[in-house]
Amino acid sequence: MNLGRTALLVFLFLASSLILCAQEYLIKFATLAPEGSTWLNVMREYDSEVRKESGGRLGFKIYGGGVAGDEKDVIRKIRLGQFHSAGFTGVGLGEIAPKVRVLDCPFLFQSYDEVDYVYKTFDKEFAQAFEENRYVLLGWAEVGFVYIFSQSPIYGVDDVRKTKMWIWEGDPIAEATLKSLGVSATPLSITDVLTSLQTGMINAVYTSPLGAIALQWFTRVKYMLNLPLADAAGAVVIWKKKFDDLPPDLREILLRNGQKYMEKLTRLSREDNRKAIETLKKNSIKLIAPPSTETIREYFGIGERARRTLVGKLFSEEFLTRVEKAVLDFRSHEKHSK
Amino acid sequence: MHRAFLIPILVILFSSGCIQSIALRSTGEIVDYGLEAINEESDLQLAEQSIASDLKLLDGLLKGDPENEHLLLMAARGYGSFALGFAEDSSPERARMFYLRARDYGLRVLTHRERFKKAWDKDLGAFQQALAEFGRDDVPAVFWTANGWGNYIRLNLTDPGAIADIPKVESLLKFVVEHNETYFYGGAHLAMGILLGSRPKILAGDPEGARKHFDRCLEISQGKFLMADVFYAMTYAVQTQNRELFSALLQKVNESSLDLLPEQRLANAIAKKKGEKLLERISDLFE
């Protein structure tokens, strides 16, 4: 009796300690987003939900703040098996699924509703684009609308041409956009932008409102052209081999919650960007609306031409045309329903 | 005869508020000594209880003497220390509130200058111009304001409005470094190290700059102010994935005696506790 009881206790003890320490499936995850940011907070919520639902069998080990290196470093580490999953923006996405960079194209979207509509409409195709390159999409987590910030006011295209604009070196979309705008831009790494704004080597940049604040560029510019230049995409992905190694129930938990939490993150970062614009105004940044629909049309025409020059490099003409058509259909539908 | 004279004088004194001021001044001194004693305390529980009641006493004294710069500075410093030592790890929400109070007490001293009062919540250019009017005597007020403000931001990175104030805090700290870098064990270097060391280069961080500030702080404090080692490990060492440095710094904190710096026994006791917890997370923080 006593012996049986002891055996049972030992068994229970062993069983419970197995649950506690056996993280059967641990996903090593990297992002540039720093500790304490909205981005990382939501990622941690995703992790704890996955742990809870899987009874502790599945979880992330999260490396924030770029400690695992920049996006290209992380892609290399994923290939080597040192990492399994990551949050990527344009740079990383261009490496692993060039086709999805259609989302980053200039003057394609006017509202976040249009962006969401395209995510939904092309969901399967985007997912396939990742899988073809041995990744699985866990959820979209965009950076958000990117605007032009400058030291002198920008209204029309001519004003953009007069700027000494920065360009992120090696980004084909930015190259195509600025070329079509007729700007000869100065390529610099992100880390040199602030000093170059100070010395006058450049006097205009493009980034999201939150980016302008986090990178402190807002302290060196005075104006923001209030017309989204592009929507900078972002996504959380996992190496397909790691994903395929998971039992089906865990895959389901990972995917379902990935979508749920990345949607939450997208909502929150759009809110952060809205708040960021208010903060910019408080810090004496003036928002400039394009002066006429004519001007807006001109920007849009430039966007269209720029997108065409990317055909064959990132995506096919056929795909681009379908995406553009979907946006236009949605836009006119919205117009009519209003 | 004498007594007859005395009574009216007392009446005049009371009604003019002189006595009240004298009384407040001596209570202020009691608080001074009280805080000094707390800073020397090594028992965290006793310190937590007494610092809380001292802070309320300070709040009360400030109601009676709202512009008293000495009391305002003690409150800025006290609330900042209380948040760091007794709220941050258990309740970030409370810590945020206390850090903000600390900042606001500091700002009440700085905004005695009309120009700074107008500029402190405006853009960076105006802020820096107003700051330039201050001198070496203002270092304590600038430092304790920056301490509350910077720590508030550190715990509030989801708020774009807070993030946007980082350049202002950096300006305050640079001011202290320029005018009296050794103030409070090189605390401005420590705070700069934290600011620059907790973000990657691509997000406006500067690990190398951070390292120089931490090293300078250690040099100034002769390695006796252990909070510097803890934050050096927590930010720079993690950001650069320097596991050896991380372990070495925290090992040193762990082995240091509480009597290393008797007047900062409490801060060092808190640092030791934080260091111990941080060391436990080593496998989560490194690849």
Side-chain angles (χ1 to χ4, degrees), chain B residues 99-137:
Chain B
Y99 280 133
L100 204 57
R101 267 189 221 178
R103 179 199 75 166
D104 289 345
Y105 276 128
L107 277 176
R108 269 167 66 179
V109 178
L110 296 180
T111 51
H112 281 160
R113 296 273 180 105
E114 208 46 45
R115 187 152 182 204
F116 194 81
K117 190 176 178 179
K118 282 185 190 144
W120 79 270
D121 60 348
K122 300 289 181 308
D123 61 66
L124 185 64
F127 182 91
Q128 285 173 334
Q129 277 170 11
L131 181 62
E133 283 188 358
F134 289 107
R136 191 181 159 97
D137 289 348

Side-chain angles (χ1 to χ4, degrees), chain A residues 77-89:
Chain A
K77 288 184 179 176
I78 288 178
R79 280 194 198 120
L80 292 170
Q82 293 166 352
F83 274 80
H84 314 114
S85 175
F88 288 131
T89 57

